Amino acid sequence: MLIILDRDGVINEYDGNYICSADEWIPIPGSIEAIARLSNAGHCIAIATNQSGIARGYYDIDELDAMHHKLEQLVEAQGGCIEFIAYCPHHPDEHCNCRKPRTGLLDQIRDHFHLDSLQGAMMVGDSRKDLEAGYTTGCRPVLVRTGNGLDTERHLDARPIPDAEVAIYDNLSKFTDALLSAEGW
Ligand SMILES: [Mg+2]
Ligand SMILES: [Zn+2]
């Protein structure tokens, strides 16, 4: 199965401040192992991440590449693999079509894997915009309670995503436990 992950607040610690360097990029405990477990079980892992810090001038593409190199090395050290990383470098004011909740990043992922659609894939995020981008493109939306997740969950009750059943887990590790033990996912 194709599993698309948001980055900040799902894979790495995120408190609302921009992550501006590889040194500041700190994995959430268990998240690297979770990605490797999913990968080693035969799932395909991609990432879709908004990185407006580039447009804001907080860091550049080289630094973003360094963060992603760190992430990929950590996963590979556990025998896993991240197949593709799609990022949006734009400022919200640019109204690009890739910044989530718009679907451009997920469309890039669909095209990268030569898929007709993302039906049957999963989108795991900590923010409403992840769930919306996933739902709009036919992914099953999954919320984790790390990063913005608790806040997102609270507001989800008041403003549910229409027709979408959002699965909710404490963190990426718990999601992975459930996915790998469940049948029929
Ligand atoms: Mg996030
Ligand atoms: Zn964009």
Side-chain angles (χ1 to χ4, degrees):
M1 179 187 301
L2 173 59
I3 301 171
I4 303 168
L5 307 175
D6 173 47
R7 196 197 80 174
D8 297 332
V10 173
I11 303 174
N12 56 282
E13 303 281 6
Y14 178 69
D15 63 4
N17 291 308
Y18 288 87
I19 314 293
C20 297
S21 70
D23 283 346
E24 291 175 13
W25 193 93
I26 308 294
I28 293 168
S31 70
I32 297 295
E33 292 78 2
I35 294 171
R37 286 162 63 208
L38 291 168
S39 172
N40 288 325
H43 296 292
C44 176
I45 309 298
I47 294 174
T49 178
N50 286 353
Q51 293 296 329
S52 70
I54 291 177
R56 297 173 203 270
Y58 298 158
Y59 48 91
D60 60 17
I61 301 274
D62 286 347
E63 198 57 60
L64 187 70
D65 284 344
M67 295 179 217
H68 292 167
H69 184 69
K70 178 176 180 178
L71 161 60
E72 286 165 339
Q73 293 291 111
L74 288 168
V75 171
E76 283 167 22
Q78 309 254 349
C81 174
I82 292 170
E83 300 285 349
F84 186 62
I85 299 178
Y87 63 87
C88 165
H90 305 114
H91 193 281
D93 292 348
E94 291 178 69
H95 302 292
C96 65
N97 73 354
C98 50
R99 183 176 166 82
K100 296 173 286 183
R102 295 195 187 89
T103 61
L105 295 180
L106 277 67
D107 296 341
Q108 281 179 38
I109 291 169
R110 179 200 63 206
D111 292 347
H112 176 83
F113 294 109
H114 306 291
L115 300 170
D116 292 329
S117 82
L118 293 178
Q119 210 71 44
M122 290 195 176
M123 173 74 220
V124 184
D126 68 321
S127 296
R128 186 181 178 91
K129 51 185 179 267
D130 304 314
L131 307 178
E132 288 186 0
Y135 175 65
T136 305
T137 53
C139 299
R140 173 150 188 202
V142 177
L143 176 64
V144 287
R145 296 189 175 102
T146 46
N148 289 325
L150 283 174
D151 201 43
T152 302
E153 182 180 17
R154 221 170 285 129
H155 291 95
L156 209 54
D157 294 339
R159 199 158 67 95
I161 294 182
D163 303 323
E165 194 186 323
V166 178
I168 306 178
Y169 296 95
D170 281 349
N171 52 45
L172 193 58
S173 194
K174 287 287 187 343
F175 161 74
T176 300
D177 291 344
L179 183 68
L180 296 184
S181 65
E183 289 182 16
W185 272 59

